Amino acid sequence: MKVSVVVFPGSNCDSDCFNVMKDVMKCDTQFVWHKDHDLKKPDLVILPGGFSYGDYLRCGAIARFSPVMREVVQFANNGGTVIGICNGFQILLEAGLLPGAMLANRSLKFICKHVWLRTENTKSKFTNRLKPAQVLNIPIAHGEGNYTADPDTIKRLRDENRIVFRYSSESGEIADKFNPNGAVENIAGILNEKGNVLGMMPHPERASEDILGSHDGRGIWESLLESAGK
Amino acid sequence: MKTFNAKVNVTLKKSVLDPQGQTVLEALHSLGYKGTENLRVGKYFEVTLNAQDENSAKTQLKEMCEKLLVNTVIEQYEVHLS
């Protein structure tokens, strides 16, 4: 699988993503600078976490107009596989590749800790190697991960099985007390309509090696390798 | 071309929870302003632009707001031109 990790000014998880894809998952991996127009023919594009453009105006609002985003949108619209993690998710929302928007965490605090996620959809190309309702231990690190959308959009996401991950307890219980940021329905990750674009606030690239305390994020990369068939 | 000055106010939509506004409201209550009922935090932009006429300036400002300055999923805006 050939992977392109997009680097925006202010990205800070780009090297983590690169390391996991290249050294842990043994994929042909390359960085793509945000001013480039060539995605280098990838099977997977990763929009990494960080603080692109210093989070000025709104998280992801400026990065969404970076030159490379024209190619990312085209790639996604042609069915290419894209994962946006944390700030990458925020950029996908601002770019309109995923519905909804992010508000400040309800606590108004930046939250950096391991959380539990329940897998809600194991049919997607991002989760086909996970078990139904499998609970993953993956860290979050964000100030604005309080996902919101209008009730019709939420209903559609639910009906179309596009809510992929929800914040849960270790045993998989979904309740408000396990919701770190106030996101509607404990939403931690969603798919686009065609199922080729995933946005998630938690960082699977920070949980793909035992030395980092969890390898639960690997399930996502293994699923992607499986669906890419290489 | 004429020069126009615009003031753009952006606030979260009424239907959207404003955690920051809520916290500021609680701070006002704790300062003794018990009568304070509601508070929303927003953004304010001052834009100076050159345009053929007022209509063109308004059109440009609307575009700027909807493309970049405002996320219309969660925010609403008002433009005041002078």
Side-chain angles (χ1 to χ4, degrees):
Chain A
M1 185 165 73
K2 203 168 161 190
V3 183
S4 290
V5 179
V6 179
V7 184
F8 298 96
S11 294
N12 66 9
C13 301
D14 43 339
S15 293
D16 304 53
C17 290
F18 186 90
N19 166 60
V20 165
M21 297 319 292
K22 187 169 174 59
D23 299 326
V24 181
M25 304 311 295
K26 310 291 181 202
C27 294
D28 177 5
T29 307
Q30 61 236 310
F31 287 121
V32 174
W33 180 235
H34 77 113
K35 284 193 170 164
D36 289 350
H37 280 288
D38 180 8
L39 284 178
K40 304 178 186 169
K41 302 199 185 334
D43 301 299
L44 169 69
V45 169
I46 302 181
L47 301 187
F51 301 86
S52 58
Y53 294 89
D55 277 352
Y56 292 167
L57 189 61
R58 293 179 307 276
C59 305
I62 315 269
R64 166 242 191 291
F65 290 104
S66 267
V68 76
M69 282 307 291
R70 197 181 303 168
E71 276 67 33
V72 172
V73 170
Q74 201 173 36
F75 179 76
N77 287 339
N78 290 334
T81 309
V82 179
I83 182 170
I85 300 163
C86 198
N87 188 223
F89 184 8
Q90 294 164 337
I91 296 168
L92 290 174
L93 294 170
E94 285 284 345
L97 285 174
L98 290 171
M102 289 296 175
L103 296 168
N105 294 344
R106 60 182 164 184
S107 64
L108 295 181
K109 291 190 173 115
F110 186 94
I111 307 169
C112 184
K113 64 173 187 183
H114 275 258
V115 295
W116 299 99
L117 302 178
R118 192 174 78 184
T119 312
E120 306 288 70
N121 170 348
T122 53
K123 299 251 159 46
S124 83
K125 58 167 68 177
F126 302 89
T127 53
N128 57 55
R129 292 288 296 270
L130 299 171
K131 296 187 195 76
Q134 186 173 339
V135 179
L136 308 176
N137 172 10
I138 295 184
I140 54 168
H142 59 249
E144 310 212 330
N146 182 350
Y147 178 79
T148 190
D150 62 83
D152 288 345
T153 303
I154 298 295
K155 185 177 181 305
R156 261 192 83 186
L157 289 174
R158 210 189 304 121
D159 292 350
E160 295 170 6
N161 214 7
R162 287 163 54 193
I163 301 170
V164 179
F165 298 113
R166 280 195 164 97
Y167 300 108
S168 72
S169 71
E170 188 175 354
S171 63
E173 184 194 345
I174 308 285
D176 192 55
K177 62 181 169 182
F178 306 119
N179 186 338
N181 51 29
V184 175
E185 296 203 9
N186 286 37
I187 288 175
I190 55 167
L191 281 175
N192 70 339
E193 213 174 329
K194 283 194 281 184
N196 60 313
V197 178
L198 171 73
M200 64 187 292
M201 287 315 289
H203 287 271
E205 82 282 9
R206 295 189 190 179
S208 295
E209 291 167 279
D210 286 329
I211 196 171
L212 296 179
S214 167
H215 61 245
D216 289 0
R218 281 187 69 129
I220 294 168
W221 315 123
E222 285 165 0
S223 300
L224 285 163
L225 280 167
E226 170 93 9
S227 60
K230 46 190 168 180
Chain B
M1 290 293 242
K2 280 174 68 181
T3 301
F4 295 89
N5 289 308
K7 294 174 177 175
V8 183
N9 283 311
V10 180
T11 47
L12 287 169
K13 285 181 182 172
K14 294 246 173 343
S15 59
V16 173
L17 188 78
D18 176 8
Q20 203 185 344
Q22 205 58 38
T23 306
V24 177
L25 180 64
E26 282 160 24
L28 287 177
H29 285 162
S30 71
L31 284 173
Y33 297 101
K34 305 288 183 203
T36 321
E37 256 183 35
N38 191 22
L39 187 150
R40 310 280 284 175
V41 175
K43 286 181 195 147
Y44 169 67
F45 300 87
E46 288 176 347
V47 187
T48 306
L49 74 162
N50 296 308
Q52 286 298 343
D53 52 32
E54 195 176 319
N55 267 342
S56 157
K58 277 186 181 162
T59 310
Q60 286 188 54
L61 283 159
K62 187 169 189 291
E63 273 180 29
M64 289 178 203
C65 284
E66 297 190 358
K67 270 192 192 161
L68 181 63
L69 302 184
V70 184
N71 181 338
T72 54
V73 176
I74 46 173
E75 294 171 328
Q76 57 194 16
Y77 66 95
E78 279 172 15
V79 178
H80 303 278
L81 198 61
S82 61

